[in-house]
Amino acid sequence: QWYQRRVRGTNHEGDQPAHLTLKDDSVPVNRNLAMFDGPEQRFCPAGVYEYVPEEEGDGMRLQINAQNCVHCKTCDIKCPSQNINWVVPEGGGGPGYNGM
C-alpha cells in the first residue's frame, strides 16, 4: 500500500474529515446499481468506489475507499445521480505531479 501512495503521489492523514461523502446513502444501490449497474466502480480511475456484499443479509452496499483518491473530481462530474459530494481535502495532501 505504501507503494501505491508513492506512485499516486497523494497522502491522506487519518484524522482529516472525509472529502468524499454521499448526499443520500440509499441512492447508490437503489438507483445507480439498479439502473446503471453501479457506474461508480467503473468511472473512478483510482478504484475508490466498489460495491461489496452487505455484512448481514443479502444485497450490496457502496464502499468508498477514500484513501485511494487521486483528487481528479471524476466522481463529482460522472455520477448519474449527482449524489457524490467531493470537497477539497485538508492539509495539502493532493496529488504531487512531478515535473510540472
Side-chain angles (χ1 to χ4, degrees), residues 6-69:
R6 184 170 165 227
V7 170
R8 209 173 44 238
T10 61
N11 185 26
H12 297 103
E13 297 297 328
D15 59 350
Q16 286 187 15
H19 74 283
L20 299 169
T21 57
L22 299 174
K23 296 174 186 172
D24 182 339
D25 290 341
S26 69
V27 167
V29 171
N30 294 339
R31 184 167 194 271
N32 293 354
L33 185 59
M35 292 178 68
F36 306 111
D37 196 30
E40 303 91 335
Q41 60 192 348
R42 292 187 303 279
F43 61 58
C44 177
V48 170
Y49 304 94
E50 65 179 318
Y51 283 90
V52 297
E54 286 282 0
E55 292 175 10
E56 295 180 13
D58 293 333
M60 302 292 278
R61 66 177 178 83
L62 181 65
Q63 177 170 292
I64 300 175
N65 303 306
Q67 71 278 9
N68 293 349
C69 184

